[in-house]
Amino acid sequence: MSALRHVVLVDPYIPAVQLAEHFRQAGATLIRVQSTKEVPQVYQASYALEGYADTVVHEDLATTVARLAVYAPVAVVAGCELGVPLADALSSALGLASNGVELSEARRDKYVMIETIKQAGVPGARQLQVTDEEELAQWHHSLGGRVVVKPLRSSGNDHVFFCDTPEESVAAYLKTAGTVNVFSERNAGVVAQEYLYGTEYMVNTVSRDGHHRICEIWRTTRLSVNGVSDLVDGIYLMARRGEVQDQLAEYTERVLDALGIQHGPAHLEVKLTNDGPRLVEVGARLSGGRLPVHAQLAIGESQLDWTVRAYLDPEGFHRLADEDYRKARHVGHIALVSPVEGALRGYRDLDAVRRLDSFHNLQTYLQPGDRITRTVDDMTYTGSVLLLHETEEAVLRDANTIRFLDGPGFYELAPEGAEA
């Protein structure tokens, strides 16, 4: 068995479905590890058992390591946020390229994460790990301004609240503490952080032996709608170089070093404030939202390709990692944001969207007959449009047109009490 190059993917759910295919195309044989006995509900429709030489459902570290050691794997890679701690432990126990376990908690726990980078001298937000209502109210009052309240571990903007008063912060804490998060886990704690004003960027990286590759830099646009102060409605791929990009890249590398991310992919969300870059959070795994797939359309490669290279061709990674990526086309990912709720009968003006100059593809997440709700997080978008064009102006114009179309009149609802 060891003559083959086996790669272990831990929790290869979305977006690691594409990563698995890239490893297969590079000649790797894949082993699937499931970190939980049951697949979390959010991933029920986003994984496959086919295409793997073996599947191991994790029970304890010693047993799982013994099962995997038979294959002499060359790499263990986290397939999603949920799999990061186990991937750390397995890669370390098997003696492979690993980020180690010493800072695993800092790579998942959002409070420990920010405290860890600050202890390493990297600027970070003011925050509080919440233990009771009175403490939170006093902290918010002394801080002033807007506060973000969210679970210590979750994803997809699940249970993220933007609070302008101590009373709102306390209410958000009570709504979050002890609830079940997007990974079907009970929230063990809550963090409150100062709200960071500034444009938010996403930086996708891959590392090998502490050598960091900036694979993609994305700029986000935001809306204040449906009671949410900071909802993403557009994501745009940026050129590698520029005043903003250079600041983000330098800050990103400091964050990666502080969190011990020396190997593999990472996805960072960073706000550029008046005081400089500040980390929102980082995932030691592949980017979500199909961003690497979209990047391939614009630059010919992405975080997917670099992850495979880092593990299967380290020499090639080190030789090429410092070369800047170059955009051949401009790409924008535009979210459809529902302001309505009810029984969906259909969408209006989809043909107008398809006629846009930069239109590339359209996905609708809800079908006629489904229940539609107001969009408040990553789980409640109604669809997305991918724009691709040789000119940036066409992408930005068409994005604005979509935002104009995507209002209450875009959704046809059944009358209340009627069948869709």
Side-chain angles (χ1 to χ4, degrees):
M1 290 186 190
S2 59
L4 300 174
R5 289 196 298 178
H6 288 89
V7 171
V8 176
L9 295 183
V10 182
D11 293 335
Y13 309 127
I14 283 179
V17 173
Q18 291 291 331
L19 181 60
E21 186 56 33
H22 277 65
F23 270 117
R24 290 188 191 103
Q25 290 174 0
T29 299
L30 299 182
I31 309 298
R32 177 181 176 274
V33 171
Q34 187 172 304
S35 70
T36 56
K37 184 176 181 181
E38 302 294 335
V39 176
Q41 184 64 38
V42 70
Y43 294 130
Q44 287 288 335
S46 68
Y47 75 99
L49 297 176
E50 300 80 17
Y52 293 92
D54 195 4
T55 290
V56 177
V57 178
H58 177 66
E59 295 183 14
D60 63 80
L61 184 62
T63 301
T64 302
V65 168
R67 285 277 304 273
L68 296 177
V70 174
Y71 296 98
V74 298
V76 176
V77 187
C80 71
E81 187 72 19
L82 185 63
V84 169
L86 182 56
D88 288 344
L90 291 174
S91 57
S92 182
L94 289 163
L96 303 173
S98 176
N99 292 324
V101 297
E102 294 82 4
L103 291 174
S104 282
E105 185 74 4
R107 294 190 283 268
R108 279 297 317 275
D109 184 298
K110 300 181 193 305
Y111 174 81
V112 178
M113 179 183 296
I114 300 300
E115 291 305 301
T116 300
I117 69 165
K118 290 195 292 188
Q119 289 169 10
V122 182
R126 292 171 290 180
Q127 60 175 0
L128 171 75
Q129 184 165 354
V130 185
T131 58
D132 62 61
E133 302 167 39
E134 183 177 350
E135 175 193 39
L136 174 58
Q138 292 177 351
W139 181 81
H140 190 161
H141 178 75
S142 63
L143 182 72
R146 180 173 295 164
V147 164
V148 182
V149 176
K150 58 186 178 181
L152 292 176
R153 299 184 180 211
S154 191
S155 189
N157 289 314
D158 174 49
H159 279 86
V160 176
F161 297 93
F162 300 90
C163 308
D164 291 319
T165 67
E167 292 75 17
E168 290 179 1
S169 288
V170 169
Y173 165 61
L174 294 175
K175 288 179 182 177
T176 304
T179 57
V180 175
N181 66 24
V182 70
F183 299 129
S184 302
E185 300 172 324
R186 192 161 298 282
N187 286 319
V190 176
V191 61
Q193 296 174 337
E194 66 172 314
Y195 177 78
L196 300 168
Y197 284 93
T199 301
E200 184 166 318
Y201 299 87
M202 298 177 179
V203 185
N204 291 335
T205 67
V206 175
S207 305
R208 178 74 197 205
D209 305 311
H211 189 181
H212 307 303
R213 164 72 181 186
I214 306 295
C215 301
E216 309 138 34
I217 301 175
W218 300 83
R219 175 179 61 86
T220 73
T221 55
R222 308 248 159 182
L223 298 173
S224 292
V225 294
N226 299 333
V228 179
S229 300
D230 211 356
L231 186 70
V232 178
D233 77 311
I235 310 175
Y236 303 87
L237 182 66
M238 302 179 72
R240 170 60 184 88
R241 292 292 172 179
E243 182 179 354
V244 167
Q245 296 94 310
D246 291 345
Q247 285 188 71
L248 293 170
E250 193 248 347
Y251 182 81
T252 289
E253 295 195 4
R254 294 177 66 192
V255 168
L256 294 174
D257 290 341
L259 294 175
I261 300 176
Q262 302 295 293
H263 301 278
H267 170 73
L268 293 89
E269 298 172 5
V270 180
K271 280 201 173 183
L272 189 55
T273 73
N274 288 339
D275 297 320
R278 295 291 185 272
L279 181 68
V280 176
E281 58 188 58
V282 56
R285 40 72 181 174
L286 199 71
S287 170
R290 292 181 62 82
L291 292 187
V293 176
H294 302 337
Q296 288 174 326
L297 298 173
I299 61 181
E301 63 179 15
S302 72
Q303 191 183 34
L304 290 162
D305 306 276
W306 282 97
T307 299
V308 172
R309 186 174 291 138
Y311 287 109
L312 299 186
D313 181 19
E315 290 185 6
F317 177 93
H318 290 303
R319 185 175 66 254
L320 301 170
D322 295 326
E323 294 183 6
D324 294 346
Y325 69 78
R326 298 185 181 277
K327 285 200 307 178
R329 291 184 286 184
H330 297 269
V331 63
H333 175 88
I334 313 304
L336 299 181
V337 177
S338 166
V340 300
E341 47 185 49
L344 180 67
R345 276 191 168 170
Y347 301 88
R348 302 186 180 98
D349 293 324
L350 288 183
D351 286 341
V353 173
R354 294 187 180 100
R355 288 194 297 269
L356 295 171
D357 287 345
S358 64
F359 174 81
H360 185 74
N361 68 40
L362 165 71
Q363 287 186 301
T364 53
Y365 307 148
L366 299 175
Q367 306 309 317
D370 290 341
R371 179 78 183 174
I372 187 172
T373 62
R374 294 182 178 90
T375 301
V376 295
D377 55 26
D378 291 2
M379 307 302 163
T380 48
Y381 292 113
T382 59
S384 63
V385 183
L386 186 64
L387 303 177
L388 189 68
H389 203 271
E390 288 74 20
T391 64
E392 185 178 31
E393 188 276 336
V395 169
L396 296 179
R397 181 199 63 216
D398 291 348
N400 285 333
T401 302
I402 293 168
R403 191 54 55 228
F404 172 79
L405 295 170
D406 182 29
F410 190 73
Y411 305 95
E412 183 182 358
L413 302 182
E416 190 172 345
E419 293 290 331

